[in-house]
Amino acid sequence: MRVIFADCSAVYAGRGDTILARAKRALIIKSDGSISIHNDSANKPLNYMKMANMEETINEQGERVWTFDARHESLAVTLHELYSEVEEELVSKADEPGLVASGTEAQLQQWIFQNPHILGEGIMSVQREFPTGNGPVDLLVLTQDLTPIAVEVKRVATLGAADQARRYVESLREVGEVVMPHPVTYEEITVDFSRTIGRIAALDLRPRLLAIAEKRGLDTTQVPAFWRSSYDERE
Amino acid sequence: MRVIFADCSAVYAGRGDTILARAKRALIIKSDGSISIHNDSANKPLNYMKMANMEETINEQGERVWTFDARHESLAVTLHELYSEVEEELVSKADEPGLVASGTEAQLQQWIFQNPHILGEGIMSVQREFPTGNGPVDLLVLTQDLTPIAVEVKRVATLGAADQARRYVESLREVGEVVMPHPVTYEEITVDFSRTIGRIAALDLRPRLLAIAEKRGLDTTQVPAFWRSSYDERE
DNA sequence: CGATGAGTGGTGCCT
DNA sequence: AGGCACCGCTCATCG
C-alpha cells in the first residue's frame, strides 16, 4: 500500500461525473490497483476507484497525471505538488483473516428459521431465500392449516420492508396450488399459494412501517432481543 | 492525518458486533477523530468509526490499546507491533473545495421539471418533492385534462422504483379533490387526486422494472441521453 | 456478466 | 434527533 500526500485535483467520468478542485490530500493506492483520495475528515474518500489500470502522463504544465481506467469509468488525478510518500507491505489478501460480524440479518434469518414458533403457534419453517418471481423472499413458512407466509426479515424495518413483503406476496399468490412435502411429516401436501400472507419480522419495527403494514394487510413480528443469546451457529 | 502501519486487531461493538483478527494493516486517523483500518484491497475499510474520542490503555501483554468511543458504539484497536507512522497536515475542512458532481438524480429531476413535455404532450409541472402521506414524490405534474401524475425519477430504475411509485400513488389517491392554482394560467382549478397516475422516468429502465410497471399500471418514460447537454442550472 | 439485496452502509434534507 | 431517500453507494451472492 502506498500513501502519497500531494496537492492534487481529480476528474471522474463514469456513472456520473465529478470534479475535485486542487488541494492537499492523501492518495491511497493499494496493491489490487484500488485508488482513493482522502481529505482530513470522515471515512469516505472524496474520489475512488477499484482495481484500475494506472497510467502516468505529463500535462502541459509539466505535472504528473495519473489516469486510472476501469471498464466503464475513469479517474484522472493531477499531482500539482508532492509532499511525501510512504509504502508498506500489508497482510496479503490470502492471509487476511477478515472481519467476523455477528448480529447480521443473515444470522437473524437463520435464527427465525430454527425458531419459527416466535412467528406463531405451530408455525413450520419451509425454506430460506425462497424464490419468487419478484426476487427471493427471506423465509417461507407454513401455518398449521398450511397457509403459506412470506416472511421479510430485517434488523430495522422501514417503509421499504413493506414494499418488499408485498412484492413477494403478489408474486407467490400467482403461483396457485403446489404439491410439496410437509415440512415435518414429509407427507405429500398441497399448498395453496393464492392464500399467501405477508409478514415482516424485525428487531425494530418503525412506526411508519407498522402503519403501512396494517394498511396493506401485512402481519408484523417483533423479534425479542434475546435471540442473540440463544443463537446457534449450526446450520 | 496520521497513517500508522501496524500489526493490529480490533473489536467493534455498536449497531452490530465485529471482531478483526491480528494482521498487518494501515490505521488512518483523521483530525476530526475518525479512524479506519485498511488492508491492501478495495476502498472500504475493515473497521472504522467517525468522530470518536480516543483513549490509550495498556493491556496485560503490555500492548497499546486504542479505544474509540462514540455515542452508541465503540471500537477497540490493539497494536501488537508498530512498523511505521507518518503524519501530514492536509487541507482544512474550511478550505476543502469539495467534490462537484454532475449528472445526479437531483439534476435530472430538475431538468424534467423544466422540460415536462418529454413526459407527454401538454404536460405541466406542478411541484418537485411533492409531499404524500408515504413520503415525498419526486415530481407532481398535470395532464392537459388535469389528471395528476406522480413521477418517480431515477437514473437507473430497478424494482424498487415501481414500489416507490405505487406507494406514492396509493397515498395521493386517498386525498380526493383539491383546489389549487392552474400551473400555467393560475386560475383556480379542482384536481381530482383519486385519479392519480404513477409514472417512472429514468435514463435506464431495467427489463424487470418494465415488466412490473406494466403489471401495476404504472407508465414509464425513457429520458433521452441529451438531457445533460440541454441542462440549465438555473432554478 | 447482470440482477438482487444487505450494510456498523454514509450523507444530506427535512420534520 | 429521527425519518426518509439518494449514492459514481460498496460489497457479496447467485443465476
Side-chain angles (χ1 to χ4, degrees):
Chain A
M1 176 165 143
R2 282 170 78 193
V3 179
I4 298 144
F5 296 98
D7 227 18
C8 64
S9 57
V11 175
Y12 164 83
R15 283 168 282 190
D17 295 87
T18 72
I19 292 174
L20 183 61
R22 175 177 176 162
K24 182 175 173 187
R25 307 195 181 84
L27 308 184
I28 297 179
I29 299 178
K30 296 191 177 182
S31 62
D32 65 350
S34 306
I35 156 109
S36 49
I37 305 178
H38 285 260
N39 64 4
D40 216 347
S41 65
N43 301 120
K44 232 181 70 166
L46 293 159
N47 276 112
Y48 51 91
M49 217 152 86
K50 57 172 178 183
M51 294 192 292
N53 290 323
M54 186 178 116
E55 261 181 48
E56 181 173 307
T57 53
I58 305 293
N59 70 7
E60 294 160 0
Q61 286 75 43
E63 301 161 326
R64 280 188 282 176
V65 177
W66 288 346
T67 305
F68 300 84
D69 266 302
R71 290 181 52 73
H72 295 288
E73 45 190 357
S74 74
L75 176 67
V77 182
T78 303
L79 301 172
H80 304 285
E81 190 178 346
L82 196 138
Y83 292 95
S84 67
E85 174 170 352
V86 358
E87 180 159 12
E88 280 274 357
E89 183 99 359
L90 298 187
V91 58
S92 70
K93 200 167 183 180
D95 292 335
E96 167 61 71
L99 193 68
V100 179
S102 63
T104 62
E105 177 181 314
Q107 293 171 331
L108 178 55
Q109 185 193 111
Q110 185 188 337
W111 183 84
I112 298 173
F113 183 78
Q114 292 169 340
N115 300 273
H117 52 84
I118 68 135
L119 298 172
E121 185 73 24
I123 290 205
M124 301 168 288
S125 288
V126 177
Q127 193 182 319
R128 296 172 62 184
E129 301 296 344
F130 187 81
T132 83
N134 288 336
V137 65
D138 288 332
L139 237 51
L140 182 73
V141 302
L142 287 178
T143 63
Q144 277 178 307
D145 70 351
L146 307 185
T147 303
I149 305 181
V151 185
E152 174 61 29
V153 177
K154 285 263 183 274
R155 287 182 303 129
V156 180
T158 55
L159 294 185
D163 291 333
Q164 279 184 51
R166 176 164 62 168
R167 176 145 51 82
Y168 302 138
V169 168
E170 277 175 354
S171 176
L172 289 175
R173 282 186 180 161
E174 290 175 6
V175 169
E177 297 198 340
V178 171
V179 175
M180 57 163 69
H182 187 283
V184 176
T185 66
Y186 300 109
E187 283 178 276
E188 208 169 72
I189 54 172
T190 300
V191 175
D192 182 6
F193 277 91
S194 69
R195 297 191 302 137
T196 302
I197 300 297
R199 166 94 55 124
I200 295 152
L203 297 166
D204 184 357
L205 296 151
R206 294 300 169 88
R208 301 261 322 250
L209 167 89
L210 288 170
I212 208 164
E214 164 95 37
K215 250 188 182 170
R216 295 183 183 174
L218 298 167
D219 299 331
T220 54
T221 296
Q222 151 100 48
V223 179
F226 67 71
W227 80 275
R228 300 261 315 253
S229 56
S230 76
Y231 175 68
D232 181 344
E233 286 205 28
R234 288 171 303 181
E235 184 65 18
Chain B
M1 176 165 140
R2 282 169 78 193
V3 180
I4 299 145
F5 296 99
D7 228 20
C8 66
S9 58
V11 175
Y12 166 83
R15 284 166 284 188
D17 294 87
T18 72
I19 292 174
L20 183 62
R22 176 177 173 164
K24 183 175 174 186
R25 306 193 182 84
L27 308 184
I28 297 178
I29 299 179
K30 296 191 175 182
S31 63
D32 65 351
S34 305
I35 156 102
S36 49
I37 305 177
H38 285 259
N39 64 4
D40 215 348
S41 66
N43 298 297
K44 235 181 71 169
L46 293 159
N47 276 114
Y48 53 92
M49 215 152 91
K50 57 174 180 182
M51 293 191 291
N53 289 323
M54 184 177 117
E55 262 181 45
E56 180 174 307
T57 53
I58 305 294
N59 70 7
E60 294 159 1
Q61 285 76 41
E63 299 161 328
R64 279 189 282 175
V65 177
W66 288 347
T67 305
F68 299 84
D69 267 301
R71 289 180 56 72
H72 295 289
E73 47 190 354
S74 75
L75 176 68
V77 182
T78 303
L79 301 172
H80 303 286
E81 191 179 345
L82 197 136
Y83 292 95
S84 67
E85 175 170 350
V86 353
E87 181 159 9
E88 279 275 357
E89 184 99 1
L90 298 187
V91 57
S92 71
K93 199 166 182 179
D95 291 336
E96 168 61 69
L99 192 68
V100 178
S102 64
T104 62
E105 175 179 316
Q107 293 172 331
L108 178 56
Q109 184 193 113
Q110 185 187 337
W111 183 83
I112 297 174
F113 183 78
Q114 293 170 339
N115 299 275
H117 52 86
I118 68 134
L119 298 172
E121 186 71 24
I123 290 204
M124 302 169 287
S125 288
V126 177
Q127 192 180 320
R128 295 173 63 184
E129 303 294 345
F130 187 81
T132 83
N134 288 336
V137 65
D138 288 333
L139 236 52
L140 183 72
V141 302
L142 286 178
T143 63
Q144 276 178 307
D145 70 351
L146 306 185
T147 303
I149 305 181
V151 185
E152 176 60 29
V153 177
K154 285 264 182 271
R155 286 184 305 123
V156 180
T158 56
L159 294 185
D163 291 335
Q164 278 185 53
R166 176 164 63 168
R167 176 144 51 84
Y168 301 137
V169 168
E170 278 174 354
S171 176
L172 289 175
R173 283 187 179 160
E174 289 176 6
V175 169
E177 298 198 339
V178 171
V179 176
M180 56 163 69
H182 187 284
V184 176
T185 67
Y186 300 108
E187 282 178 277
E188 207 168 74
I189 56 172
T190 300
V191 175
D192 182 7
F193 277 91
S194 68
R195 298 191 300 138
T196 302
I197 300 296
R199 164 98 52 129
I200 296 152
L203 297 167
D204 183 357
L205 296 151
R206 293 300 168 88
R208 301 269 315 255
L209 168 89
L210 288 171
I212 208 163
E214 164 94 39
K215 250 189 183 170
R216 294 182 183 175
L218 298 167
D219 299 332
T220 54
T221 295
Q222 152 99 50
V223 179
F226 66 72
W227 80 274
R228 300 248 332 243
S229 55
S230 75
Y231 176 68
D232 179 344
E233 287 206 27
R234 288 171 302 179
E235 182 66 18

